Amino acid sequence: MTTHVTPHTVLAIAPSVLSALRTLDDAGRPCAPYADPEGGAPLRCCLRRSAPGERIALVAYAPLRRWAAATGVDPGAYDEQGPVFIHAEDCGGPAPEAGLPFGHPGALRTARRYDAAGRILGGRVLDLAEDPDAVVGQALTDAFDDPRTALVHVRAAEFGCYLFEVRRA
């Protein structure tokens, strides 16, 4: 499921990938769902934060590896995996027109640009300051001004965790 932020498309983890991750994650570990005691986990399946008591799972996910496999390229050394939270069961994905997820004033993000061969073109640290949507939106506009940019991964700077992928609309 996708959400559109003109002129970019924000992508949650695809339903078929989520189904696989709910069995074995990208590190080969079985999924271990639990009830979230506090809420607030950034869910990459629906691009919102969890509510207290929701059944979620923390799984290893390799976003560039999965994109590369689907496009027939080899990401080489840029292939990496990391932890992401997902709902333990199908949640239906993001709400239509949900906008840019996980932005709040003062958060730090990174925007990593990749080319069509899966190689990093560059990265940028983002201080979301007072207007998170404007800061991320400008970084995405700048990234896609380079015609070599095929996709952008937005990550949490504090932990390096993958948050979501962005492509041209």
Side-chain angles (χ1 to χ4, degrees), residues 1 3 9-14 18 40-49 58-59 61-64 80-86 94 99-104 107-112 114 124 126 128 132 136 152-166:
M1 176 127 344
T3 59
T9 302
V10 176
L11 299 169
I13 298 175
L18 290 165
L43 299 164
R44 280 43 162 238
C45 49
C46 55
L47 302 178
R48 68 167 178 82
R49 294 202 178 269
L58 182 61
V59 298
Y61 177 54
L64 192 62
E80 61 183 332
Q81 67 187 23
V84 296
F85 290 101
I86 61 173
L100 291 168
F102 312 125
H104 58 277
L108 297 174
R109 299 289 179 254
T110 59
R112 288 189 194 166
Y114 295 90
R124 184 168 165 186
L126 309 174
L128 300 192
V136 175
V152 175
H153 285 174
V154 176
R155 295 175 174 262
E158 301 89 339
F159 299 104
C161 299
Y162 168 90
L163 293 172
F164 56 91
E165 182 175 305
V166 184

Side-chain angles (χ1 to χ4, degrees), residues 48-134:
R48 68 167 178 82
R49 294 202 178 269
S50 63
E54 280 190 286
R55 287 188 42 78
I56 65 172
L58 182 61
V59 298
Y61 177 54
L64 192 62
R65 178 187 314 161
R66 290 199 175 258
W67 171 84
T71 57
V73 300
D74 176 7
Y78 296 105
D79 177 23
E80 61 183 332
Q81 67 187 23
V84 296
F85 290 101
I86 61 173
H87 274 112
E89 292 84 28
D90 181 24
C91 64
E97 303 304 321
L100 291 168
F102 312 125
H104 58 277
L108 297 174
R109 299 289 179 254
T110 59
R112 288 189 194 166
R113 298 181 302 120
Y114 295 90
D115 67 14
R119 302 300 188 258
I120 291 177
L121 291 172
R124 184 168 165 186
V125 176
L126 309 174
D127 181 346
L128 300 192
E130 299 301 316
D131 190 351
D133 284 352

Side-chain angles (χ1 to χ4, degrees), residues 24 34 39 161:
L24 284 178
Y34 64 96
C161 299

